[in-house]
Amino acid sequence: MEQVKQRKRRFGDRYDGYRVKDNDPLFHVIPHIMRSRLDSQVFFEEQIDISGLRQFILEHREKIPHLSVYHIFVAAAIRTMVQKPRLNRFISGRKIYARSYLRASLTVKKSMHEDAEEALVMPEFLPTDTLHEIAHKFNEAVNQVKVEGEANDTDLTVKLINLLPGFVKKFVVWGIRNLDAIGKMPKIINRVSPFHSSLFITNVGSIGLRSIYHHLYEFGTTSVFLAIGKKELIRELNSDGTVTNKNVINIRLVLDERICDGYYFATAIKAFKHLMKNPELLLEPPAYISEDY
């Protein structure tokens, strides 16, 4: 297995990303044509067969406490980004960067009560993390925000900004946005901002929805948004005329098409589906770690 490499910083790099230079010249022009993330969104919908996951979870829940389908989705998404690192790129200041960290922003309810507050957790992962390590980091972050009266750094930052008068708040956000465009945004803001993650994941299936197309945020640098729908039972007609019942979940992805081409997106989705169908691959570190240039 390859080790995680520390890259040497070059001229034009940022603390949160490395400038992508070895690329199709067209991709360096596209950010000047499609200047906003909202102008560059592409939409994918896929159906994930989860029929075999129930048995897998029962077999491994003792070693991986509270293991759920959601953990496997998160782990498969992170592993896909390790194998397909161009998904972890972002556009800022009309330049393409390879992100220097691997972080997911996840929306969770503090309780199952209808009026319960939502909280954002942002566990950071290593490329070598297995399903066990990803589930542990996820659970640790969720447990922190579910403890009554305890707020994470993101919650505290939002509450602090909300104490400011409207015109000051507008100026602060304007300043942060412009500093981010030139790679000078304070690191502390990056650490607490859910809009500066590798991907954003929302589990709308937990509130009974099939799935949604969620827009990318213009603020920040997140280029991938994954929405996971509810579990459904479908009937599939086989070639021999028999009918098979399948448990599936519909997912919808919104991606910034400026970070890589459609073929790369398609192969990444195939890799993700393969991991979901073969979750045992997530029990071990990846056989290889691709580096983005």
Side-chain angles (χ1 to χ4, degrees):
M1 182 188 71
E2 294 184 18
Q3 298 298 312
V4 181
K5 299 177 182 177
Q6 294 293 325
R7 288 179 57 175
K8 185 177 180 180
R9 297 205 172 274
R10 306 163 299 184
F11 178 76
D13 290 345
R14 298 160 46 120
Y15 69 80
D16 58 346
Y18 304 98
R19 179 81 182 274
V20 173
K21 296 181 179 179
D22 299 334
N23 202 1
D24 184 336
L26 177 62
F27 276 89
H28 295 289
V29 176
I30 285 176
H32 295 271
I33 298 170
M34 293 182 287
R35 295 184 292 176
S36 76
R37 202 164 283 111
L38 298 180
D39 189 33
S40 312
Q41 295 177 130
V42 290
F43 305 88
F44 290 82
E45 181 176 9
E46 285 292 334
Q47 193 174 79
I48 307 297
D49 184 356
I50 61 165
S51 300
L53 293 188
R54 178 177 172 80
Q55 184 59 36
F56 175 85
I57 289 170
L58 290 174
E59 290 173 2
H60 294 89
R61 188 167 272 177
E62 187 174 337
K63 291 184 179 179
I64 309 176
H66 311 296
L67 180 63
S68 69
V69 173
Y70 195 18
H71 290 124
I72 297 172
F73 266 103
V74 175
I78 295 300
R79 182 63 60 85
T80 301
M81 283 198 149
V82 172
Q83 295 176 349
K84 299 289 184 179
R86 294 181 194 176
L87 295 179
N88 201 15
R89 289 178 174 181
F90 63 90
I91 307 293
S92 186
R94 299 178 192 172
K95 299 179 180 68
I96 307 174
Y97 294 91
R99 200 182 308 274
S100 57
Y101 54 85
L102 195 54
R103 181 199 299 160
S105 291
L106 306 145
T107 307
V108 297
K109 296 274 281 185
K110 290 189 175 182
S111 74
M112 292 311 294
H113 191 275
E114 184 179 355
D115 298 323
E117 288 184 20
E118 283 191 341
L120 285 162
V121 297
M122 295 175 294
E124 201 155 308
F125 304 105
L126 295 174
T128 52
D129 279 350
T130 63
L131 174 59
H132 186 280
E133 291 156 337
I134 289 172
H136 173 72
K137 290 177 180 180
F138 175 89
N139 289 339
E140 196 173 54
V142 171
N143 289 338
Q144 179 190 350
V145 300
K146 285 191 174 182
V147 174
E148 189 172 352
E150 188 170 347
N152 60 19
D153 292 340
T154 301
D155 293 332
L156 293 173
T157 303
V158 170
K159 289 177 181 177
L160 180 62
I161 292 175
N162 275 331
L163 293 175
L164 301 172
F167 72 95
V168 177
K169 193 186 304 181
K170 181 178 179 180
F171 176 77
V172 168
V173 174
W174 174 85
I176 291 172
R177 186 191 294 270
N178 282 279
L179 287 172
D180 193 22
I182 59 174
K184 301 297 182 182
M185 185 181 74
K187 291 183 181 180
I188 190 171
I189 301 297
N190 182 284
R191 285 197 296 269
V192 301
S193 169
F195 310 108
H196 291 80
S197 293
S198 307
L199 75 160
F200 215 115
I201 304 178
T202 182
N203 182 15
V204 295
S206 64
I207 55 174
L209 297 179
R210 293 192 68 202
S211 190
I212 60 169
Y213 287 117
H214 193 292
H215 64 87
L216 297 175
Y217 293 103
E218 188 57 33
F219 180 83
T221 58
T222 303
S223 302
V224 180
F225 206 117
L226 168 63
I228 302 168
K230 67 178 182 178
K231 299 175 186 177
E232 298 181 67
L233 180 67
I234 65 168
R235 291 176 174 82
E236 189 171 84
L237 181 65
N238 301 316
S239 57
D240 61 359
T242 59
V243 175
T244 302
N245 291 331
K246 276 188 178 181
N247 290 305
V248 300
I249 288 179
N250 285 317
I251 65 168
R252 285 175 175 164
L253 284 154
V254 182
L255 308 157
D256 186 341
E257 70 167 322
R258 298 174 297 176
I259 60 174
C260 56
D261 60 60
Y263 180 77
Y264 194 89
F265 283 140
T267 58
I269 290 172
K270 286 181 181 178
F272 175 78
K273 292 179 72 174
H274 180 70
L275 289 167
M276 290 298 300
K277 191 172 183 179
N278 302 277
E280 64 277 1
L281 297 173
L282 299 168
L283 296 172
E284 300 294 331
Y288 66 93
I289 296 172
S290 297
E291 193 169 357
D292 188 10
Y293 291 95

